[in-house]
Amino acid sequence: MRVIIDLIKYLSMNKKLWLLPAILTIIILGGLIVLSQGSVVAPFLYTLF
Amino acid sequence: MSKILGISCFFHDSAAAYIQEGKIVNAFQEERFSRIKHDDAFPKFSILKILEINKLKLNDFDAIVFYEKPFQKFVRLIETYVKNAPKGFTSFKAAIPIWVKEKLYMKKMIYQNLSKIDKIIDKKIFFSEHHLSHAASSFYPSPFTKAAVLVVDGVGEWATTSLWLGENKKIRKLKQINFPDSLGLLYSSFTQYLGFKVNSGEYKLMGLAPYGKPIYKNLIYKKLIKIYDDSSYSLNIKYFDFETGLSMINNKFQNLFGQATRKSDTEKLNKFHADVAASIQQVTEEIYFKILNKLYEDTKCNNLCISGGVALNCVANGKIKQKTKFKNIWIQPASGDAGCSIGAALAFYYKYSANSRKVVPSDSMQGSYLGNEYSEKEIKNILNKVGAVYEEIDGIDNTVKKISKLLAQGNSIGWFQGKMEFGPRALGNRSILADPRNPYMQKKLNLKIKFRESFRPFAPSILEEQVSNYFDYEGQSSYMLMVARVRKELLINKKLKIKDTDIIDQINNIRSKIPAITHIDYSARLHTVSKKTNLIYYKLLEEFFKITGFPILINTSFNIRGEPIVESPHDAFNCFMGTNLDYLVCGNYLLKKSNQKNEINIDYKNKFKLD
């Protein structure tokens, strides 16, 4: 929860609140992917991590 | 605000640095302890070493500063996916779970990792912007009160190139270029195309470039990158995959050059690969100088500081004074992300401390000798423990006399002295040394000791007062970040007949009186040695000069390909026994390979993956 509050604060400060719905959807979707995969292995790509 | 710990990790080249009252006390790269090249893990061993050496507890630090801002990076990812949707789902599927599960909770992750080491309160954890960490790592330790600062890397949060002005303790951003337009990512894309590993093989591309001709330069300008009058640039993203895929380049990129990406395990490097390397190297240099000229125009400052991965392109660095109006240049030796641990801590310190900045006339990196040191007693204990057969030499003066003779006789020597270097270069404390006059030495070192590609050049260490007698260069290059040509008087033009397909065999041509350090284009990556920062190594070069008339030694990092540079006498002994090195010197202890017990020999080459 603290992360979500911090994220909202950050988006608000940077005038990017319009991204909030997309971010929340993505976090939920990401959560579902995590649950379906079981473990998370990071592939290495310069720009993603 | 006196004690600050800087941390960089979870991407590559994890590191930790300890700053006290603005002075860099220690800096360590985690790979040196974990023995995993470019290790991205939380720098536990590095932090433990800082605490041990300085007799500190974690709560003694006033602040612990992480080198980038994860939220900004996450928002960049989301914005990129939103912009490109539905394209990019594969990349999304790979990246988002790791963010949702771990990286979004970076503060908690750092806190948990720190808590495993010692008691800590999470209110002490702070975050610094990635490019600010880079900029601070080059400006604050530099010898300049005022300087223009350039940061060029792959990407941080958003910035890929940023221009700054530093004055006393303030550092101000002037301009930035954002992802996906990135000079670093462009160079890395070609690194991948030529079959080298992204994020570690870039220097191989740079070493390959002199073998080719820049015949694809115009094609790169026409199709891949556009440069604007204000020195900004944009990539033609349709040729790249890094925005939405799991690769740097796509099929369009490969079709543009007419050949598929080189398969490093089966495909030999040929003229085509060398020409592509030469082309991107030249384009990179031209853009680099254009940006620098604009920076000079905007700041009218004669002093320049540089950092970021692209700053390790020493070929480009060597030309800055010819191609721009900057008169004094200082480059952070740990220009990659490891150096951000220093920068993050310094940026935080100078923002919140009331103290003024102390500028050290040489610089405040202390020769980059910021790591661990082993006493003679500790070295002896380790050597006894591993069953080494050694000779104890009486004092460092006798050691340098003996070693210089062995070097002049053609022996290759593992040299382990003093404090570990911070950054990717061995600067004479954890080095493999040899005679640069020997025409067979480059091949021997590459193939039998480093077990790496034969085309790779070696760098010379030279007494700093003598550099202009042997190279077209004036001044210092203390951190091996400048390339210059070998002086005309030393050149020899003995060319072998070489087929186009065996372009790499050109390396066997004898090009100068110091062939082992003279690259194919008569250049060398200089390491000038000062008695102020490394007296022992300076004395060794002086002795070698007395015997041979050359104040120069081959200096390559003490490791094999894919292995982190040795940290301890134990690592040094393992590397010595696993390679064809003739001798090992640790402090005043001398080990001869032929005297060692055969059963200690190790299958070393296969222990480390190709980098």
Side-chain angles (χ1 to χ4, degrees), chain B residues 36-173:
Chain B
I36 300 165
K37 187 97 169 165
H38 302 301
D39 195 356
D40 66 349
F42 185 79
K44 180 178 87 178
F45 298 115
S46 306
I47 295 171
L48 280 168
K49 194 50 87 180
I50 287 171
L51 298 181
E52 180 197 317
I53 293 176
N54 299 288
K55 297 183 176 58
L56 291 171
K57 294 190 165 178
L58 272 183
N59 268 331
D60 292 331
F61 291 107
D62 299 297
I64 294 167
V65 191
F66 189 67
Y67 80 122
E68 64 180 10
K69 296 195 168 183
F71 277 175
Q72 283 192 22
K73 209 168 173 177
F74 182 66
V75 168
R76 189 247 297 161
L77 275 180
I78 302 301
E79 279 195 48
T80 306
Y81 288 130
V82 169
K83 184 181 90 181
N84 292 293
K87 211 177 152 198
F89 186 70
T90 320
S91 150
F92 172 84
K93 218 174 111 186
I96 293 304
I98 203 112
W99 275 93
V100 170
K101 204 173 177 187
E102 293 175 355
K103 294 207 168 186
L104 264 179
Y105 318 99
M106 192 61 84
K107 195 168 186 174
K108 195 175 160 195
M109 255 171 89
I110 295 168
Y111 173 72
Q112 282 172 343
N113 276 294
L114 288 169
S115 301
K116 285 179 197 164
I117 295 173
D118 197 3
K119 276 182 199 158
I120 178 77
I121 48 168
D122 69 347
K123 279 182 185 161
K124 288 188 175 180
I125 301 170
F126 299 90
F127 295 86
S128 166
E129 194 189 316
H130 187 100
H131 268 222
L132 172 63
S133 301
H134 271 307
S137 80
S138 68
F139 175 62
Y140 291 123
S142 80
F144 310 133
T145 308
K146 185 180 178 185
V149 183
L150 175 69
V151 180
V152 196
D153 69 354
V155 61
E157 293 90 1
W158 274 105
T160 63
T161 301
S162 59
L163 284 66
W164 307 70
L165 182 65
E167 194 166 6
N168 294 318
K169 54 188 272 190
K170 283 195 176 155
I171 186 162
R172 178 168 59 93
K173 194 190 287 171

Side-chain angles (χ1 to χ4, degrees), chain B residues 172-344:
Chain B
R172 178 168 59 93
K173 194 190 287 171
L174 304 174
K175 189 181 157 186
Q176 77 175 42
I177 297 172
N178 282 346
F179 179 84
D181 302 316
S182 165
L183 192 56
L185 292 179
L186 176 71
Y187 205 82
S188 292
S189 298
F190 278 90
T191 303
Q192 187 186 64
Y193 182 56
L194 295 178
F196 305 126
K197 250 189 188 172
V198 171
N199 242 345
S200 70
E202 280 76 5
Y203 56 96
K204 293 187 192 178
L205 191 163
M206 187 177 70
L208 179 64
Y211 290 86
K213 290 185 179 132
I215 57 174
Y216 299 104
K217 191 180 104 174
N218 290 341
L219 184 68
I220 295 172
Y221 278 128
K222 201 173 159 190
K223 297 283 185 185
L224 298 182
I225 189 160
K226 194 171 179 192
I227 321 292
Y228 303 99
D229 289 342
D230 65 349
S231 84
S232 62
Y233 58 84
S234 61
L235 294 185
N236 188 350
I237 210 71
K238 73 175 185 188
Y239 290 95
F240 302 90
D241 200 35
F242 58 75
E243 224 189 356
T244 53
L246 293 175
S247 168
M248 296 302 291
I249 54 173
N250 58 24
N251 287 339
K252 274 188 192 130
F253 186 103
Q254 299 178 67
N255 294 338
L256 185 67
F257 291 94
Q259 285 200 25
T261 299
R262 186 178 79 93
K263 291 185 179 74
S264 58
D265 43 352
T266 54
E267 207 178 333
K268 260 182 89 176
L269 286 163
N270 59 32
K271 189 177 175 300
F272 168 75
H273 302 121
D275 288 342
V276 170
S279 306
I280 187 59
Q281 177 64 29
Q282 191 159 346
V283 168
T284 304
E285 285 175 23
E286 286 175 5
I287 299 169
Y288 198 49
F289 301 139
K290 187 153 189 175
I291 297 169
L292 285 172
N293 279 319
K294 181 76 173 83
L295 180 59
Y296 183 85
E297 209 179 281
D298 289 350
T299 60
K300 294 282 183 282
C301 186
N302 287 330
N303 303 325
L304 171 68
C305 297
I306 318 175
S307 60
V310 179
L312 292 170
N313 195 313
C314 43
V315 177
N317 293 339
K319 297 174 188 169
I320 293 174
K321 281 195 184 172
Q322 297 162 32
K323 303 279 182 182
T324 75
K325 287 181 181 167
F326 286 107
K327 290 194 171 61
N328 310 301
I329 306 159
W330 194 85
I331 304 167
Q332 164 56 245
S335 260
D337 285 357
C340 286
S341 57
I342 290 179

Side-chain angles (χ1 to χ4, degrees), chain B residues 506-526:
Chain B
Q506 285 180 50
I507 196 72
N508 297 321
N509 285 329
I510 308 290
R511 287 172 298 279
S512 81
K513 288 180 185 168
I514 36 176
I517 56 91
T518 309
H519 200 24
I520 201 86
D521 57 352
Y522 307 103
S523 69
R525 182 158 44 97
L526 304 179

Side-chain angles (χ1 to χ4, degrees), chain A residues 3 10 16 45 47-49, chain B residues 72-73 76 79 98 242 245:
Chain A
V3 168
Y10 167 78
K16 287 194 172 182
L45 185 66
T47 56
L48 299 182
F49 301 101
Chain B
Q72 283 192 22
K73 209 168 173 177
R76 189 247 297 161
E79 279 195 48
I98 203 112
F242 58 75

Side-chain angles (χ1 to χ4, degrees), chain B residues 318 321 327-330 362 460-484 487 525-530:
Chain B
K321 281 195 184 172
K327 290 194 171 61
N328 310 301
I329 306 159
W330 194 85
S362 48
S461 287
I462 181 166
L463 293 174
E464 71 174 354
E465 298 82 2
Q466 299 234 36
V467 66
S468 51
N469 298 334
Y470 296 85
F471 301 96
D472 292 335
Y473 190 82
E474 299 277 343
Q476 293 178 325
S477 174
S478 316
Y479 301 116
M480 219 186 256
L481 286 164
M482 294 289 181
V483 162
R487 277 187 76 101
R525 182 158 44 97
L526 304 179
H527 171 218
T528 58
V529 180
S530 159

